[in-house]
Amino acid sequence: MTLTPPQDRQSCPDADHARWMGEAIALARSMQGKVWPNPPVGCVIVREGEIVGRGCTQFGGRPHAERMALDQAGERARDAALYVTLEPCCHWGKTPPCADAIIRAGVRAVHASLQDPDPRVDGNGFRKLREAGIRVGIGLAENEASQIMAGFFHRIATGHPLLRVGARPQAAHVIPEGFDALMHSGWDCIEVVIRTPQGEASGEPLDSRSTKDELLDELGRRGLTSVYVPIDDPLSWKLRTAPSTTIASFSATHQRAGAPHTESAR
């Protein structure tokens, strides 16, 4: 992993920086569970003390938050400051690099919460921005951003989604807010109910004979980052014994927390 230069760290942001990044955090949180395989990112563009562009990762992972905010800001992005919860991408995927779009727009400063651990980015987005003469600050609201993107970071590190257990939903196909999918035992199979890019829930069967590792590998290959499992389902106990599984308890009354290698489509 590329190390962040010490001079770029922002451990004591002033009130204005914190306020603008707070707007970006709220945008990112609003898209949790809706943008897999990509992370939920929020972005705001500020010029002369006024927000001129807002954006968040869209359903299915594209367009990215930076692209949405830049499109809204238009020419007002020139000489503005951009606040984003994750390092802008610098590679060509299904969309052009956000770092290039930021440079072309004439943004003068970028404040980011976190460095992107995806090996295709991993500090190179920041490097490209600095080489273009853009001031880069890192660390604003990093704890909040880490919680929001915990599932994405876990999948990048392990190839598997982050699993959370909690009370069984009242309806079989209701995915708890903030999660990509719900997984539970069926009559003759394991069913994974996935939130589609259209915002709908789609149930898909998995082989009930699959081992715990095979199940986790399959979920990771699908690009899922956070999966909810009812705590009273036998499946939760089966998955608890998986060596690379992180399972945490979940309560709807609490704020959302934050194998083969799987990269995001970002």
Side-chain angles (χ1 to χ4, degrees), residues 2-13:
T2 305
L3 296 177
T4 298
Q7 65 270 22
D8 284 345
R9 298 297 300 173
Q10 287 186 225
S11 57
C12 299

Side-chain angles (χ1 to χ4, degrees), residues 89-98 100 104 120 128 265-266:
C89 65
C90 57
H91 61 282
W92 279 83
K94 295 186 177 180
T95 55
C98 288
D100 290 355
R104 285 196 304 271
R120 298 170 298 175
K128 179 176 280 193
R266 182 174 156 82

